[in-house]
Amino acid sequence: MDMDRGLMLDMAFPPIELELVLVRHGQTQWNVEHRYLGHTDIPLLPDTSERLSQLQQQITWLTDKHAEVSNDFWRVFCSDLRRCRETLDYISPSLEKTTIYDPRLREMNFGTWEGCTYEQLKDNPLYRSWIDNPSTVTPPDGETWAQFDERLRSFLSDLGRAAEDTLVQAAISDNKDEIITNRVLVITHGGVIRNFLAQVVPEVTFFNAVAPSPGTAMVLKLFWQNGQWSADISGD
């Protein structure tokens, strides 16, 4: 940490406001068939373009913009899996060169259960135990709940520190009384979005959180202060 940044962090700053535009990738064949889809890298359905054109309009409406999705974001992040990359390409090809493709934004790795349906697994005792308590049971060759949760906490923490660095630079430039508002686009997966909601929204857990359906988006207004995120749930 350089001296200027250290001095700035010792000062009192207003919370950093961030508008997180969370996009769930478009629909795949496995989504249609209700198969577990984690790290398996399959494409979107061939006929998904019409629905994703509606996603463009939804993002424009959610962010109060009156132009196409382009360079209106402070940061753009995308899961490195194909279905998310293809979704981003449909939303705005111009964003691809500046997008950060982050494997931490992948869906949970379901191991040998990838591609299976509930009907195929429902009589498996290990699967039943995982459904009841995923924090203590791991899919064969899959990812532990702790690993999944930790990588997403790491992503949000890094995002907060990056926003903090922006505030510090503004303060050094004699704008320290100004609340910085940042809009961030994240193209990711349903389980990831549910985890984010559980982390920052009071009384929401992974199990009661509701992610947008494939090919749709939601906006989460967050505030970063004292090294932690909190959500604005006022509805304003």
Side-chain angles (χ1 to χ4, degrees):
M1 181 186 298
D2 60 54
M3 184 175 295
D4 283 340
R5 189 180 190 281
L7 288 173
M8 292 301 107
L9 289 178
D10 287 338
M11 299 174 64
F13 287 103
I16 302 171
E17 180 180 341
L18 184 147
E19 192 174 85
L20 201 60
V21 182
L22 296 168
V23 174
R24 185 176 177 185
H25 64 79
Q27 200 162 50
T28 69
Q29 187 63 39
W30 283 12
N31 292 136
V32 173
E33 297 171 352
H34 302 290
R35 298 181 184 276
Y36 279 99
L37 177 57
H39 286 199
T40 304
D41 205 12
I42 65 174
L44 299 177
L45 287 170
D47 61 353
T48 195
S49 58
E50 181 178 351
R51 178 141 190 195
L52 290 182
S53 67
Q54 296 173 0
L55 173 61
Q56 281 184 320
Q57 298 171 14
Q58 183 191 19
I59 293 173
T60 298
W61 179 80
L62 286 171
T63 56
D64 295 323
K65 292 290 177 181
H66 303 287
E68 292 184 1
V69 178
S70 56
N71 297 316
D72 299 318
F73 296 97
W74 173 60
R75 295 282 191 277
V76 179
F77 296 94
C78 184
S79 163
D80 63 340
L81 293 177
R82 181 176 175 181
R83 56 194 185 272
C84 289
R85 288 175 173 268
E86 290 181 350
T87 300
L88 175 64
D89 184 54
Y90 275 107
I91 294 172
S92 180
S94 65
L95 291 175
E96 288 187 295
K97 291 184 179 179
T98 56
T99 294
I100 300 169
Y101 296 95
D102 195 327
R104 291 179 296 180
L105 292 171
R106 289 185 177 195
E107 183 60 274
M108 187 176 191
N109 183 355
F110 300 111
T112 60
W113 295 340
E114 298 256 339
C116 295
T117 65
Y118 171 79
E119 288 298 318
Q120 292 172 321
L121 295 170
K122 65 181 182 179
D123 296 324
N124 181 325
L126 185 64
Y127 173 74
R128 298 301 314 179
S129 296
W130 177 73
I131 289 290
D132 291 338
N133 195 350
S135 64
T136 62
V137 179
T138 303
D141 299 324
E143 185 175 23
T144 68
W145 185 266
Q147 289 170 331
F148 174 63
D149 186 68
E150 177 54 35
R151 61 177 163 91
L152 297 179
R153 289 183 182 277
S154 170
F155 173 82
L156 285 182
S157 180
D158 287 351
L159 183 62
R161 285 194 290 268
E164 192 173 77
D165 285 342
T166 300
L167 178 60
V168 168
Q169 292 304 317
I172 292 172
S173 303
D174 202 27
N175 292 319
K176 63 181 173 53
D177 293 327
E178 180 180 339
I179 295 179
I180 295 177
T181 302
N182 299 311
R183 178 175 287 119
V184 174
L185 178 65
V186 178
I187 299 94
T188 186
H189 309 265
V192 172
I193 294 173
R194 289 170 65 190
N195 181 282
F196 286 163
L197 292 171
Q199 286 191 47
V200 301
V201 180
E203 299 183 9
V204 170
T205 71
F206 182 86
F207 304 101
N208 65 22
V210 179
S213 58
T216 62
M218 65 176 295
V219 172
L220 192 59
K221 185 179 289 187
L222 302 176
F223 295 96
W224 174 264
Q225 193 168 39
N226 300 323
Q228 291 191 349
W229 288 110
S230 60
D232 177 4
I233 57 174
S234 66
D236 296 335

